[in-house]
mmCIF file of all heavy atoms in Angstrom:
data_model
loop_
_atom_site.group_PDB
_atom_site.id
_atom_site.type_symbol
_atom_site.label_atom_id
_atom_site.label_comp_id
_atom_site.label_asym_id
_atom_site.label_seq_id
_atom_site.Cartn_x
_atom_site.Cartn_y
_atom_site.Cartn_z
ATOM 1 N N GLY S 503 59.587 126.782 145.596
ATOM 2 C CA GLY S 503 58.536 125.723 145.558
ATOM 3 C C GLY S 503 57.173 126.314 145.568
ATOM 4 O O GLY S 503 56.257 125.875 144.824
ATOM 5 N N MET S 504 56.940 127.281 146.380
ATOM 6 C CA MET S 504 55.666 127.996 146.437
ATOM 7 C C MET S 504 55.296 128.578 145.095
ATOM 8 O O MET S 504 54.168 128.553 144.625
ATOM 9 C CB MET S 504 55.559 128.994 147.598
ATOM 10 C CG MET S 504 55.460 128.349 148.955
ATOM 11 S SD MET S 504 55.034 129.450 150.291
ATOM 12 C CE MET S 504 56.594 130.267 150.557
ATOM 13 N N ALA S 505 56.329 129.240 144.494
ATOM 14 C CA ALA S 505 56.109 129.884 143.174
ATOM 15 C C ALA S 505 55.679 128.846 142.164
ATOM 16 O O ALA S 505 54.885 129.133 141.254
ATOM 17 C CB ALA S 505 57.395 130.622 142.799
ATOM 18 N N LEU S 506 56.132 127.602 142.276
ATOM 19 C CA LEU S 506 55.675 126.578 141.310
ATOM 20 C C LEU S 506 54.230 126.190 141.426
ATOM 21 O O LEU S 506 53.628 125.561 140.542
ATOM 22 C CB LEU S 506 56.567 125.367 141.494
ATOM 23 C CG LEU S 506 58.029 125.485 141.100
ATOM 24 C CD1 LEU S 506 58.840 124.317 141.563
ATOM 25 C CD2 LEU S 506 58.169 125.732 139.594
ATOM 26 N N THR S 507 53.597 126.583 142.557
ATOM 27 C CA THR S 507 52.131 126.324 142.701
ATOM 28 C C THR S 507 51.341 127.498 142.126
ATOM 29 O O THR S 507 50.117 127.437 142.200
ATOM 30 C CB THR S 507 51.705 126.122 144.185
ATOM 31 O OG1 THR S 507 51.886 127.420 144.844
ATOM 32 C CG2 THR S 507 52.436 125.071 144.869
ATOM 33 N N GLY S 508 52.014 128.508 141.643
ATOM 34 C CA GLY S 508 51.238 129.663 141.124
ATOM 35 C C GLY S 508 51.228 130.807 142.010
ATOM 36 O O GLY S 508 50.723 131.903 141.712
ATOM 37 N N LEU S 509 51.773 130.644 143.255
ATOM 38 C CA LEU S 509 51.893 131.786 144.183
ATOM 39 C C LEU S 509 52.936 132.739 143.746
ATOM 40 O O LEU S 509 53.787 132.341 142.878
ATOM 41 C CB LEU S 509 52.161 131.313 145.564
ATOM 42 C CG LEU S 509 51.068 130.538 146.340
ATOM 43 C CD1 LEU S 509 51.525 129.945 147.599
ATOM 44 C CD2 LEU S 509 49.861 131.410 146.569
ATOM 45 N N LYS S 510 52.917 133.952 144.170
ATOM 46 C CA LYS S 510 53.947 134.982 143.869
ATOM 47 C C LYS S 510 54.599 135.393 145.157
ATOM 48 O O LYS S 510 54.233 136.436 145.708
ATOM 49 C CB LYS S 510 53.351 136.121 143.073
ATOM 50 C CG LYS S 510 52.786 135.741 141.743
ATOM 51 C CD LYS S 510 51.895 136.841 141.138
ATOM 52 C CE LYS S 510 51.218 136.253 139.896
ATOM 53 N NZ LYS S 510 50.078 137.081 139.532
ATOM 54 N N PRO S 511 55.550 134.662 145.646
ATOM 55 C CA PRO S 511 56.146 134.996 146.925
ATOM 56 C C PRO S 511 56.997 136.219 146.819
ATOM 57 O O PRO S 511 57.752 136.441 145.893
ATOM 58 C CB PRO S 511 57.028 133.771 147.323
ATOM 59 C CG PRO S 511 56.636 132.757 146.315
ATOM 60 C CD PRO S 511 56.120 133.403 145.131
ATOM 61 N N VAL S 512 56.943 137.082 147.892
ATOM 62 C CA VAL S 512 57.855 138.190 148.069
ATOM 63 C C VAL S 512 58.580 137.823 149.355
ATOM 64 O O VAL S 512 58.009 137.911 150.466
ATOM 65 C CB VAL S 512 57.141 139.584 148.235
ATOM 66 C CG1 VAL S 512 58.111 140.671 148.385
ATOM 67 C CG2 VAL S 512 56.243 139.800 146.953
ATOM 68 N N ALA S 513 59.818 137.410 149.212
ATOM 69 C CA ALA S 513 60.537 136.861 150.354
ATOM 70 C C ALA S 513 61.421 138.060 150.900
ATOM 71 O O ALA S 513 61.957 138.844 150.138
ATOM 72 C CB ALA S 513 61.455 135.726 149.933
ATOM 73 N N GLU S 514 61.511 138.120 152.255
ATOM 74 C CA GLU S 514 62.406 139.093 152.776
ATOM 75 C C GLU S 514 63.615 138.448 153.409
ATOM 76 O O GLU S 514 63.557 137.473 154.219
ATOM 77 C CB GLU S 514 61.694 139.919 153.926
ATOM 78 C CG GLU S 514 62.659 140.918 154.602
ATOM 79 C CD GLU S 514 61.976 141.800 155.666
ATOM 80 O OE1 GLU S 514 60.971 142.455 155.365
ATOM 81 O OE2 GLU S 514 62.439 141.827 156.829
ATOM 82 N N ILE S 515 64.813 138.857 153.072
ATOM 83 C CA ILE S 515 66.048 138.524 153.702
ATOM 84 C C ILE S 515 66.424 139.685 154.614
ATOM 85 O O ILE S 515 66.463 140.860 154.169
ATOM 86 C CB ILE S 515 67.192 138.158 152.713
ATOM 87 C CG1 ILE S 515 66.777 136.995 151.808
ATOM 88 C CG2 ILE S 515 68.506 137.931 153.453
ATOM 89 C CD1 ILE S 515 66.660 135.652 152.445
ATOM 90 N N GLN S 516 66.678 139.397 155.877
ATOM 91 C CA GLN S 516 66.740 140.475 156.876
ATOM 92 C C GLN S 516 67.907 141.458 156.623
ATOM 93 O O GLN S 516 67.637 142.704 156.818
ATOM 94 C CB GLN S 516 66.845 139.843 158.240
ATOM 95 C CG GLN S 516 66.283 140.698 159.362
ATOM 96 C CD GLN S 516 66.004 139.818 160.569
ATOM 97 O OE1 GLN S 516 66.913 139.184 161.105
ATOM 98 N NE2 GLN S 516 64.778 139.721 160.966
#
Side-chain angles (χ1 to χ4, degrees):
Chain S
M504 287 193 281
L506 292 169
T507 66
L509 291 172
K510 295 168 188 159
V512 180
E514 177 178 304
I515 298 293
Q516 207 159 60

